[in-house]
Amino acid sequence: MGKAEILKAIKKNKPEKLPIPSLDFPSSNGQDLKTLYEERLTAGGGEVISAKDKAEAEAIVKERMGDYKFVAGAFEALNTIDLSAIRDPHELELLDLAVFEGVLGVAENGAIWVNEEVLVHRAAPFITQHLVLFIREDQLVDKMHEAYKRLRAHDYGHGVFIAGPSKTADIEQSLVIGAHGPKSLLVIMLPPA
Amino acid sequence: MSHPSEAKKFVKNENRVNWHDQSLWHVREKRDKAVNLFPEWEQLREKASQIKSHSLSNLDYYLEEFEKNATANGIKVHWASDAIEHNEIVFNIFREHGVRRIVKSKSMLTEECHLNPFLEKHGVEVIDSDLGERIVQLAKETPSHIVMPAIHKKKIEIDELFQKHLHTRPSNGDENYLTAAAREHLRQKFMKADAALTGVNFGIAETGEFVVCTNEGNADMGVHLTPLHIASMGIEKIIPRYEDLGVFIRLLARSATGQHVTTYTSQFRKPREGAELHIILVDNGRTVQLGREKYRRSLHCIRCGACMNTCPVYRRSGGHSYQSVVPGPIGSILSPGIDMKKHASLPFASSLCGSCSDVCPVKIDIHKQLYSWRQDITREANEEPAKKFSMRFAGWLFTHPNLYKKAGKFGRKALKILPRWMIYNSLNAWGKQREIPEPPKQSFQEWYQQNRQKNG
């Protein structure tokens, strides 16, 4: 009974039809996307390192791993866990580090889009203690408008823009990194393919 | 219940008022900094407002389009006319699945429906997972702000609360230690939950997907681990096109906290393999508000809280003084639409300075609606008797110029020589918590006549 009642009330109460605006926003004004990306992600508590290729990116991650025991993701040689072998996402609780390839990055806010296809498990980038995303420079767009233009063509069950480590300011507005999810986010920037 | 009497409790402690005021002003300043970084901000606001207006004028169409596309994606769509229906839908789904423990991510809509007490009454354990929400939940309070639910609480109070409930050691309010303790506590709850509940920031008709924005990642921690996700969405949260999201995501976090975007912008289109995804479309008074031409635009609201952070009255009276799920300027135009009598004092809890309208990312004319509510309420409900009498008397006096002149002269003298009790008493609502300004030596009329004569 909810649906019919609600639709009836809307039809009775809604105003005359109003037009929908066009979305024509100026694109990049020649700003260097990589520099802007780095500035904005850093403001969100993340870190950016440039690497000349995937091998160097892998070496950077390896050096960072320290005594992490459980590692999973895109750099297979470093993995101690095979994400595709895991059935129950609760088992991901032991993850120290997860590494994924970003689909696209947004310079104006430092966000990187990843989806189920890349993540294998939707929970993976949230439940892991630390997160590394790598992305190619030519996958950076300037603003969210451009990002959604590109994502339009994608089919996904779940996808997420990630713009830093998990954080909170709920205790007297003091910023604390590492609320529920990763305590750090490292983005490795690779040159265009 | 009235805003002035509730606010009285908060303003008793001047240090706390100043601290609250400054905390929120700090957020307002961060907003300005983020907003002023690029030139198309005003264009963005205008587009957002137009999209929302268009959307409301086709709301029935877009809701049905959303339902069609979401269903095709495997999402189960429900409709609820009011809070009771909403809560029953939630509980019926839980009963079917034998759910006993749930984790909830911040949702003002479930607050509005009073879902927590309803579920608890039926034996379901409800854990609010947003840190601020968890804090107020442990304190058995309600959120005092829609984005920063525990903004009214001091570190040391949270410390004591955690000692009592999470058995932490006294840390003198160390935010890192307290957050780490909450992280451990809530991770255990996430691991054991049978279902997860979230709100919705935006529902997209074109793709049948919805978006949930958080900084902590608590919504995602909940929903990706449990086999059942229920999302509650007010029907006004619908936007038509996929690309409209670009406009709203750019506006939301910048307006709310001055961040360029929330840490997580999570988009749900299909249920996870082996899991169920439900969405409840809730009316609960929104269609009535849609029919009120003067107040319709309040349905544009994307719940960023910018109007609260900038409001001189909210900052100095605290969110709880509004006694309403959504406090501050936007709450003061939404709440009287739900219950005019109960919330009659809220539109008067404003200086009408217009700052709320200036920062609103979807261009709601908040201060104009507040002014409009004042007139509707004064006509239909009743104002404070002392103010009402004084206003009527003033109205009469203004229509009698000679009497007005004499009264002014008398008043300027009287205010100087009368004892305090004759000026500051229950008949003078303007003399509460403030001093009446010193009367000028002469009226403007007297000054004008004197000077005009002098200058010839």
Side-chain angles (χ1 to χ4, degrees):
Chain A
M1 76 157 194
K3 181 181 173 182
E5 206 175 290
I6 294 167
L7 292 176
K8 202 175 118 194
I10 293 171
K11 284 189 181 113
K12 194 177 134 228
N13 291 342
K14 70 178 180 179
E16 239 171 85
K17 198 172 164 173
L18 293 159
I20 193 163
S22 64
L23 301 179
D24 39 3
F25 288 93
S27 62
S28 169
N29 36 10
Q31 229 166 345
D32 175 41
L33 295 186
K34 197 180 150 191
T35 312
L36 184 62
Y37 178 86
E38 188 169 340
E39 179 199 315
R40 296 290 155 88
L41 181 76
T42 312
E47 187 189 355
V48 184
I49 296 181
S50 292
K52 64 176 193 299
D53 53 26
K54 260 191 169 176
E56 196 189 358
E58 197 175 311
I60 291 168
V61 173
K62 192 166 186 208
E63 200 195 303
R64 289 258 172 146
M65 275 166 52
D67 54 0
Y68 296 161
K69 252 166 103 181
F70 299 103
V71 179
F75 293 147
E76 278 171 28
L78 305 179
N79 287 350
T80 58
I81 289 178
D82 175 11
L83 283 179
S84 57
I86 284 177
R87 284 275 99 110
D88 178 0
H90 289 91
E91 288 171 29
L92 298 168
E93 201 205 2
L94 43 74
L95 258 186
D96 293 308
L97 176 71
V99 184
F100 299 109
E101 178 169 5
V103 177
L104 69 86
V106 188
E108 69 157 334
N109 58 25
I112 286 184
W113 173 263
V114 283
N115 59 32
E116 225 168 356
E117 219 169 289
V118 174
L119 303 170
V120 188
H121 287 278
R122 292 182 185 187
F126 301 96
I127 201 166
T128 182
Q129 300 288 334
H130 299 274
L131 180 63
V132 173
L133 299 173
F134 63 90
I135 190 141
R136 296 194 178 276
E137 264 175 61
D138 52 352
Q139 284 155 342
L140 288 183
V141 298
D142 59 342
K143 293 168 185 165
M144 287 305 270
H145 308 298
E146 184 61 30
Y148 282 112
K149 259 183 209 155
R150 294 209 191 174
L151 288 179
R152 229 194 127 72
H154 291 228
D155 185 30
Y156 52 85
H158 171 259
V160 56
F161 282 102
I162 300 178
S166 160
K167 56 177 171 280
T168 182
D170 273 337
I171 300 178
E172 266 196 37
Q173 280 296 292
S174 316
L175 184 70
V176 181
I177 304 284
H180 307 282
K183 295 170 184 168
S184 71
L185 169 67
L186 170 66
V187 169
I188 304 178
M189 191 71 70
L190 295 170
Chain B
M1 200 297 294
S2 78
H3 182 269
S5 62
E6 292 300 315
K8 219 181 239 172
K9 298 174 198 162
F10 189 76
V11 299
K12 248 186 220 154
N13 184 340
E14 200 175 324
N15 285 335
R16 184 175 284 258
V17 172
N18 292 337
W19 163 79
H20 190 260
D21 175 29
Q22 279 156 15
S23 307
L24 287 152
W25 187 250
H26 176 62
V27 185
R28 157 73 209 257
E29 284 178 325
K30 283 202 293 189
R31 173 238 170 238
D32 289 351
K33 240 172 114 184
V35 163
N36 290 328
L37 273 177
F38 57 97
E40 71 262 30
W41 182 258
E42 287 306 317
Q43 197 193 343
L44 269 178
R45 288 178 75 211
E46 187 56 42
K47 297 276 183 190
S49 177
Q50 287 171 6
I51 294 166
K52 281 284 182 182
S53 294
H54 166 81
S55 196
L56 291 175
S57 74
N58 285 279
L59 191 55
D60 47 339
Y61 172 77
Y62 286 126
L63 285 171
E64 286 201 282
E65 197 196 356
F66 177 83
E67 182 185 38
K68 189 184 84 200
N69 292 327
T71 309
N73 291 339
I75 300 176
K76 294 185 177 163
V77 182
H78 310 260
W79 301 69
S81 294
D82 55 26
I84 297 168
E85 265 184 41
H86 167 266
N87 293 351
E88 276 167 2
I89 291 167
V90 172
F91 185 58
N92 283 337
I93 300 169
F94 285 171
R95 201 157 37 191
E96 252 173 61
H97 289 76
V99 168
R100 287 173 48 220
R101 285 178 295 228
I102 69 153
V103 279
K104 217 178 86 195
S105 130
K106 193 164 64 183
S107 150
M108 292 321 289
L109 178 57
T110 57
E111 284 289 326
E112 181 186 316
C113 293
H114 303 290
L115 179 70
N116 285 17
F118 172 85
L119 289 177
E120 280 157 6
K121 204 179 73 196
H122 286 89
V124 179
E125 182 195 69
V126 184
I127 302 292
D128 279 320
S129 60
D130 170 86
L131 178 57
E133 286 255 311
R134 186 67 185 135
I135 290 167
V136 294
Q137 190 183 32
L138 290 175
K140 296 194 166 48
E141 291 176 14
T142 53
S144 73
H145 187 289
I146 59 172
V147 174
M148 300 167 278
I151 187 81
H152 60 289
K153 282 220 167 307
K154 294 241 183 194
K155 284 177 187 180
I156 202 75
E157 292 165 343
I158 296 166
D159 194 314
E160 282 162 15
L161 203 60
F162 278 21
Q163 287 177 49
K164 193 174 149 201
H165 295 278
L166 310 185
H167 312 294
T168 50
R169 58 173 165 77
S171 72
N172 202 24
D174 178 342
E175 65 270 8
N176 286 302
Y177 170 71
L178 294 172
T179 304
R183 177 188 172 96
E184 285 315 306
H185 160 70
L186 285 163
R187 278 203 161 220
Q188 285 173 24
K189 298 291 182 187
F190 285 126
M191 293 303 285
K192 285 185 190 146
D194 305 315
L197 225 143
T198 70
V200 168
N201 288 92
F202 307 100
I204 302 122
E206 187 184 4
T207 57
E209 74 189 283
F210 63 91
V211 181
V212 180
C213 304
T214 70
N215 279 318
E216 297 178 7
N218 54 312
D220 290 275
M221 274 296 274
V223 303
H224 302 318
L225 292 176
T226 59
L228 176 63
H229 173 189
I230 303 179
S232 298
M233 170 176 147
I235 52 172
E236 83 285 11
K237 292 282 176 82
I238 205 93
I239 56 174
R241 302 165 296 193
Y242 188 61
E243 283 169 39
D244 291 329
L245 266 182
V247 174
F248 290 101
I249 300 297
R250 294 186 79 195
L251 287 166
L252 181 65
R254 288 181 170 109
S255 299
T257 58
Q259 293 169 259
H260 298 290
V261 70
T262 50
T263 302
Y264 302 105
T265 304
S266 207
Q267 309 195 181
F268 299 85
R269 194 178 274 184
K270 294 170 194 163
R272 194 176 80 238
E273 214 189 303
E276 273 184 33
L277 180 50
H278 296 251
I279 187 160
I280 311 175
L281 305 172
V282 187
D283 178 353
N284 205 33
R286 286 161 178 76
T287 53
V288 179
Q289 190 80 337
L290 186 65
R292 295 185 181 114
E293 206 186 327
K294 282 187 284 184
Y295 306 115
R296 182 178 291 145
R297 253 160 85 182
S298 62
L299 294 172
H300 287 198
C301 181
I302 57 171
R303 303 291 191 267
C304 69
C307 60
M308 295 165 205
N309 304 340
T310 200
C311 177
V313 176
Y314 174 89
R315 284 189 272 120
R316 288 171 182 83
S317 60
H320 286 150
S321 63
Y322 292 79
Q323 296 272 295
S324 133
V325 174
V326 181
I330 181 67
S332 299
I333 58 177
L334 290 172
S335 306
I338 297 161
D339 185 341
M340 197 206 266
K341 253 214 149 82
K342 184 180 167 204
H343 301 292
S345 66
L346 294 188
F348 297 88
S350 164
S351 61
L352 297 186
C353 64
S355 184
C356 45
S357 308
D358 287 340
V359 297
C360 178
V362 284
K363 290 193 124 173
I364 304 172
D365 49 347
I366 305 176
H367 72 293
K368 285 187 187 154
Q369 293 190 32
L370 285 166
Y371 179 58
S372 197
W373 268 122
R374 287 184 182 190
Q375 298 170 43
D376 288 350
I377 285 167
T378 310
R379 242 189 323 267
E380 289 177 43
N382 46 2
E383 246 229 86
E384 211 179 314
K387 267 192 191 167
K388 201 173 187 176
F389 170 77
S390 310
M391 285 303 209
R392 283 227 175 120
F393 177 72
W396 172 80
L397 192 63
F398 291 154
T399 55
H400 297 78
N402 278 325
L403 269 176
Y404 173 69
K405 229 189 286 177
K406 276 181 196 145
K409 209 166 220 166
F410 170 76
R412 283 189 296 281
K413 273 202 191 118
L415 279 176
K416 262 188 229 165
I417 55 171
L418 284 178
R420 276 192 76 84
W421 66 265
M422 280 194 72
I423 300 167
Y424 299 92
N425 57 44
S426 58
L427 284 173
N428 179 11
W430 291 271
K432 282 180 200 161
Q433 290 118 10
R434 55 167 98 74
E435 290 292 308
I436 300 287
E438 192 151 314
K441 285 194 184 74
Q442 52 182 182
S443 72
F444 174 71
Q445 202 175 27
E446 285 165 355
W447 177 90
Y448 183 75
Q449 268 163 4
Q450 212 175 61
N451 284 274
R452 195 178 58 170
Q453 274 159 10
K454 258 188 211 161
N455 300 335

